[in-house]
Amino acid sequence: MGKVFTHMTMSLDGFVADPGDQVGELFDWYAAGEVTVPNPNENVSFRVDDAGARVLREWTGNCGALVAGRRLFDIADGWGDRHPVGAPVVVVTHRPPEDAATRWPTTTFVEGVEAAITRARQIAGDQDVTIASATISQQALDLGLVDEVCVSLVPVLFGDGVPYFATLHRGHQLLEDPIVVQGRRALHLRYPVRH
């Protein structure tokens, strides 16, 4: 069975978007190099440095399912039913869109974080499950469902916005020492979670 990990690109002061849900300079590292990393969504391109390419390939190469929240899904317009990781998407929501079956046929809508992770694991089989949503990441950590926390840390300060981590209801969470990859416009960090 694969692992469950979170991944978000984050400002140095801990935000994954500004107060208006815009990512600003956070995604600059996706265009900061000469190496093209292909993905199934023709509307998204990755031209990163060598280190960023290794990280992207590692995170997407074994991804069997991606879990996102409804807010991010709506902001991204469902990635056109083709998320750049190339895996099926499971969206945590109380209310699936009315046109879900026709507009997003490969996307699964599930109520509750634990149910979404369970469904994503079923879809992924032996591959990894990636959580790409700040709120869902926090809830999954609270439930003890995360094996690794990944951050692409970007050299910008937002001052305010959507935090990657806010209140963990379970409280204090210890992580192992990070695996660090220095890239252009991003420092990529992987922290195994202590269980």
Side-chain angles (χ1 to χ4, degrees), residues 7-11 26 29-30 55 59 150-154 164 186-189:
H7 176 256
M8 297 292 286
T9 298
M10 182 179 80
S11 67
L26 290 180
W29 75 274
Y30 288 124
V55 166
W59 285 339
C150 303
V151 179
S152 292
L153 190 62
V154 175
Y164 190 178
L187 180 67
H188 308 287
L189 305 164

Side-chain angles (χ1 to χ4, degrees), residues 7-11 15-16 22-35 44-49 52-53 56 152-158 183-188:
H7 176 256
M8 297 292 286
T9 298
M10 182 179 80
S11 67
F15 299 105
V16 297
Q22 300 301 307
V23 295
E25 301 86 358
L26 290 180
F27 286 1
D28 285 358
W29 75 274
Y30 288 124
E34 304 77 35
V35 181
V44 177
S45 62
F46 300 124
R47 287 189 49 84
V48 295
D49 63 326
L56 277 176
S152 292
L153 190 62
V154 175
V156 64
L157 298 168
F158 273 13
R184 189 176 304 149
R185 302 306 303 156
L187 180 67
H188 308 287

Side-chain angles (χ1 to χ4, degrees), residues 14-135:
F15 299 105
V16 297
D18 70 15
D21 282 327
Q22 300 301 307
V23 295
E25 301 86 358
L26 290 180
F27 286 1
D28 285 358
W29 75 274
Y30 288 124
E34 304 77 35
V35 181
T36 299
V37 179
N39 77 81
N41 188 324
E42 65 274 358
N43 297 319
V44 177
S45 62
F46 300 124
R47 287 189 49 84
V48 295
D49 63 326
D50 287 330
R54 284 193 315 275
V55 166
L56 277 176
R57 288 182 186 120
E58 187 174 322
W59 285 339
T60 62
N62 196 43
C63 183
L66 180 127
V67 178
R70 176 66 188 269
R71 179 172 152 202
L72 177 60
F73 177 83
D74 287 345
I75 290 168
D77 195 28
W79 301 278
D81 207 37
R82 285 183 312 281
H83 193 282
V85 299
V89 176
V90 176
V91 178
V92 180
T93 184
H94 298 295
R95 224 180 36 241
E98 290 181 19
D99 58 352
T102 55
R103 190 162 177 210
W104 297 286
T106 67
T107 301
T108 304
F109 297 89
V110 177
E111 187 166 348
V113 172
E114 191 165 9
I117 299 296
T118 299
R119 182 67 186 118
R121 280 187 173 278
Q122 292 167 346
I123 292 168
D126 291 336
Q127 293 182 293
D128 295 334
V129 171
T130 304
I131 303 171
S133 172
T135 304

